[in-house]
Amino acid sequence: MVSLYDHNLWIFSNKEFDHNNCYRFSRVLKAVSEAFCNSYLSPPGVIIMLSNGDVVEQPSTPSNKNTSGSENLTDEKLIRVLDVTERIYELNLVDYLDVFEYLSEIKKTSLFISELALWSFVEQHWKGEKKNNNELAESLKRLRAIVYDRKDPDYVEFKEKFKIFIERTKGKKENLSDMRNLLAHGTFFKQKNNWDNRQWSLFVEIHEFLFNMVLLGLEKEIETV
């Protein structure tokens, strides 16, 4: 019978937490949910049952924040968020908590900065032990192998859109590092005022597909820890 706010999603755990564990769990949940979608979590509310049977309610105080876009939290995505959260919390996977807090910050930044940071994360996180001429392409290949079959229609479509976009923005279609390099050198930022709707659409579609592929890759990793 807790007083809840309209238009907010409340999550109740069936476990008892002391203050420290409550904070730790909510920190993981906040990072994971914000990485998966444009959502913001308030600090946790608390329900205290006293020894005399009285119940004290300390509801959280959510605040509205502007996001870079709206995104529905579907049942399927919510289940993914909770599964990842529980595994990080139960196994105390601090490194993955850091990763999701980083991704949640990426999610909130402007599109160009977010895309550059995302490519850099892919190159670093899925880097192999042997040095290659094109580290980014090799890292992307390792991530793809975790998530998609090489001939998966979704991944084939992603690569085709990628090549078309690079060609239209004066890059080399065979060099996957061009996306990162053109971002890092400010080329896209100078070009963007002359982009047509198709170029903007391709840029956003590439970004969203890559971000989701990163999340899928991390889920697969965490499942096997």
Side-chain angles (χ1 to χ4, degrees):
M1 305 299 292
V2 180
S3 175
L4 304 181
Y5 298 87
D6 291 338
H7 311 300
N8 285 283
L9 174 67
W10 285 66
I11 297 174
F12 294 90
S13 173
N14 57 5
K15 300 175 183 177
E16 292 186 3
F17 291 104
D18 60 23
H19 180 269
N20 290 333
N21 285 334
C22 184
Y23 171 78
R24 187 164 67 88
F25 181 84
S26 63
R27 180 181 171 185
V28 177
L29 179 60
K30 174 180 173 66
V32 175
S33 64
E34 289 183 358
F36 270 83
C37 59
N38 294 325
S39 64
Y40 289 89
L41 266 66
S42 65
V46 179
I47 302 174
I48 304 172
M49 181 172 288
L50 305 178
S51 57
N52 64 2
D54 290 344
V55 175
V56 178
E57 302 166 6
Q58 298 175 0
S60 62
T61 54
S63 58
N64 295 322
K65 297 182 181 180
N66 293 326
T67 65
S68 57
S70 59
E71 189 173 347
N72 292 327
L73 185 61
T74 62
D75 289 345
E76 182 266 341
K77 186 170 284 189
L78 178 59
I79 290 171
R80 291 170 64 193
V81 166
L82 293 176
D83 285 345
V84 171
T85 296
E86 184 172 21
R87 194 149 181 85
I88 292 175
Y89 172 80
E90 294 290 348
L91 299 180
N92 196 27
L93 304 178
V94 178
D95 289 345
Y96 281 102
L97 171 58
D98 291 340
V99 164
F100 277 99
E101 286 186 331
Y102 178 66
L103 291 177
S104 70
E105 289 302 314
I106 289 178
K107 192 88 169 183
K108 300 170 193 174
T109 59
S110 64
L111 196 55
F112 286 94
I113 295 174
S114 179
E115 181 70 2
L116 176 58
L118 194 56
W119 280 109
S120 296
F121 175 76
V122 169
E123 182 174 9
Q124 178 270 324
H125 190 80
W126 282 281
K127 184 179 179 66
E129 295 184 5
K130 294 183 179 179
K131 186 172 179 59
N132 296 281
N133 292 330
N134 193 333
E135 298 286 0
L136 179 56
E138 292 298 319
S139 295
L140 183 62
K141 186 185 297 183
R142 291 187 190 91
L143 169 58
R144 190 275 306 160
I146 296 172
V147 180
Y148 293 108
D149 179 80
R150 186 168 58 88
K151 295 183 179 180
D152 186 289
D154 289 337
Y155 188 74
V156 171
E157 183 182 2
F158 162 71
K159 288 197 69 174
E160 186 59 31
K161 287 179 178 178
F162 187 93
K163 289 179 180 179
I164 293 171
F165 180 76
I166 292 297
E167 285 179 315
R168 292 187 179 185
T169 49
K170 301 179 182 179
K172 300 175 182 177
K173 66 178 182 179
E174 69 274 7
N175 189 350
L176 288 173
S177 290
D178 267 10
M179 185 72 155
R180 188 264 320 277
N181 292 339
L182 291 171
L183 282 160
H185 298 157
T187 304
F188 284 169
F189 193 77
K190 293 177 181 178
Q191 291 179 352
K192 64 183 176 66
N193 292 331
N194 297 319
W195 284 0
D196 56 28
N197 289 338
R198 183 53 179 156
Q199 284 172 299
W200 276 111
S201 295
L202 283 170
F203 187 83
V204 173
E205 288 168 14
I206 289 168
H207 177 73
E208 291 180 349
F209 185 91
L210 180 63
F211 207 111
N212 191 53
M213 186 161 64
V214 166
L215 293 175
L216 288 170
L218 292 171
E219 285 179 87
K220 295 287 186 182
E221 286 184 358
I222 291 171
E223 286 174 5
T224 61
V225 174

